[in-house]
Amino acid sequence: MTSVLDLAPVVPVVVLDDAADAVPLARALVAGGLPAIEVTLRTPAALDAIRAIAEEVPQAVVGAGTVVSAAGVADAVAAGARFLVSPGWTGGLLDAMTASGLPFLPGVATASEVVALLERGIGEMKFFPAEAAGGTAYLKSLAGPLPGARFCPTGGISLASAPAYLALPNVGCVGGTWMLPPDALAARDWGRVEALAREAAGLR
């Protein structure tokens, strides 16, 4: 599979309470030009949502986010996830994600965490929580001493701030939720989600 960082400029970070919404939501995002979809394992509906998207929306590249344990890795793989994203990492979690055979983005917030991943041969990671952890200024300062690391910043990023992240040489894509406004999801306004996705897909 193409690197997760290169599938689209923006990876929607999805939290679903009802798995029945997964397929129409994924179809709207794909139609808008955002095929990589991170469904976070924060709700009881998450695994069923991943399974439904994997089975019914072949154009989507569905991944599991908020993966924080080896059990979560196993559940995500069984549901059909095609990539994994964690907010942080431990040695055990890293081993489980590596063993899964899927592409993964372990979360980092410090230079030491980046160095530790590079030491293990991992050069693609999630920078989280991006805005709270220093934003574009922090990532820019990492580019010189750590040129082998590429990031998907996630956490507090908006349509307005995304271009500044995407302009950085060490950023492949950003993660965000702004194309999934709660009122649009509550109303199941998939047309609005598609329009917002198309706007996000055009940021590159």
Side-chain angles (χ1 to χ4, degrees):
M1 179 177 115
T2 301
S3 166
V4 178
L5 298 183
D6 298 322
L7 290 171
V10 180
V11 176
V13 179
V14 178
V15 181
L16 281 174
D17 293 310
D18 187 348
D21 291 337
V23 168
L25 175 62
R27 286 178 176 151
L29 292 170
V30 169
L34 299 180
I37 301 169
E38 176 188 335
V39 178
T40 63
L41 303 184
R42 299 183 194 177
T43 68
L47 291 170
D48 286 337
I50 291 170
R51 191 172 292 109
I53 295 170
E55 291 174 355
E56 300 183 46
V57 192
Q59 308 95 323
V61 180
V62 63
T66 321
V67 177
V68 296
S69 67
V73 171
D75 288 342
V77 171
R82 293 173 61 185
F83 64 92
L84 307 170
V85 184
S86 69
W89 63 273
T90 63
L93 179 58
L94 209 61
D95 289 343
M97 290 194 292
T98 301
S100 75
L102 296 180
F104 60 91
L105 297 174
V108 297
T110 69
S112 293
E113 291 168 326
V114 175
V115 171
L117 287 177
L118 290 172
E119 190 176 75
R120 293 184 62 150
I122 298 165
E124 297 189 343
M125 48 202 83
K126 167 178 174 168
F127 177 56
F128 176 84
E131 287 288 284
T136 55
Y138 192 88
L139 285 174
K140 193 178 298 184
S141 71
L142 292 181
L146 301 170
R150 292 180 73 218
F151 301 95
C152 174
T154 305
I157 297 174
S158 66
L159 177 66
S161 63
Y165 282 95
L166 292 169
L168 298 175
N170 55 351
V171 169
C173 64
V174 300
T177 60
W178 74 84
M179 73 298 301
L180 304 163
D183 58 336
L185 298 187
R188 293 176 169 80
D189 187 350
W190 310 126
R192 184 175 168 206
V193 171
E194 180 181 339
L196 292 169
R198 184 170 291 110
E199 185 179 32
L203 287 175
R204 229 345 145 225

